[in-house]
Amino acid sequence: MRALIQRVSSGTVRVDGEVVGQTGPGLVVLLGVAPDDTPADADFVADKCVNLRIFEDQDGKMNLSLAQIGGSMLVVSQFTLYADTAAGRRPSLSGAARPETAIPCYERFIEAVSRLGIPVQTGRFGAYMQLEIHNDGPVTMLVESKTK
């Protein structure tokens, strides 16, 4: 599982012009699922995203987590995080999980974040979405379950 996390002042996702999820201040998480990902991967990545110390403390140092600042999270499914661009000019997307695998892992990630006490909103899985992200810093990091 891959989570591209962005520290944001705000984030909004729209489907057909309708706001379906928003956050701020907190994190926008673009979440990709691999074919071999498990509920344990979702739990690991959720815990890492919630507890990673990437928010500034009173001294301006990145020393606080999302949980510590009382922030919220916007999660958007992003199968293109598993795009392979090594050969040719057309990315291969075969590294991403099919919906029957990806949806349960995506939902497990959201449930795990919620269980950790973080208000969480989402995009709409499989929909064409438009995101408005106000990256704060900018701070953008990649969290992967296979590196645990």
Side-chain angles (χ1 to χ4, degrees):
M1 182 170 283
R2 290 181 180 159
L4 184 67
I5 61 173
Q6 297 184 54
R7 186 179 77 184
V8 299
S9 56
S10 65
T12 304
V13 61
R14 290 179 173 81
V15 175
D16 296 326
E18 171 194 354
V19 173
V20 297
Q22 55 191 9
T23 191
L27 295 177
V28 169
V29 176
L30 305 177
L31 189 70
V33 179
D36 61 343
D37 283 339
T38 67
D41 291 302
D43 292 343
F44 173 83
V45 173
D47 183 73
K48 183 67 88 169
C49 290
V50 168
N51 292 300
L52 200 61
R53 296 179 353 188
I54 61 172
F55 293 88
E56 294 179 356
D57 64 15
Q58 66 275 8
D59 297 323
K61 296 188 184 221
M62 286 199 299
N63 201 28
L64 301 174
S65 69
L66 181 64
Q68 290 172 311
I69 67 153
S72 58
M73 184 184 292
L74 175 61
V75 181
V76 177
S77 61
Q78 185 80 42
F79 72 96
T80 58
L81 285 175
Y82 279 97
D84 181 356
T85 60
R89 299 196 190 283
R90 181 181 216 173
S92 168
L93 298 170
S94 62
R98 306 259 325 134
E100 54 272 12
T101 300
I103 291 171
C105 284
Y106 169 79
E107 290 173 348
R108 174 68 175 247
F109 175 87
I110 294 161
E111 291 166 9
V113 169
S114 184
R115 279 194 314 272
L116 291 167
I118 302 299
V120 60
Q121 293 195 16
T122 67
R124 195 170 292 154
F125 191 96
Y128 186 88
M129 295 174 274
Q130 294 180 320
L131 278 76
E132 184 176 320
I133 301 171
H134 295 269
N135 197 312
D136 183 31
V139 174
T140 302
M141 297 180 185
L142 184 63
V143 174
E144 293 185 273
S145 61
K146 300 309 179 207
T147 62
K148 61 181 176 181

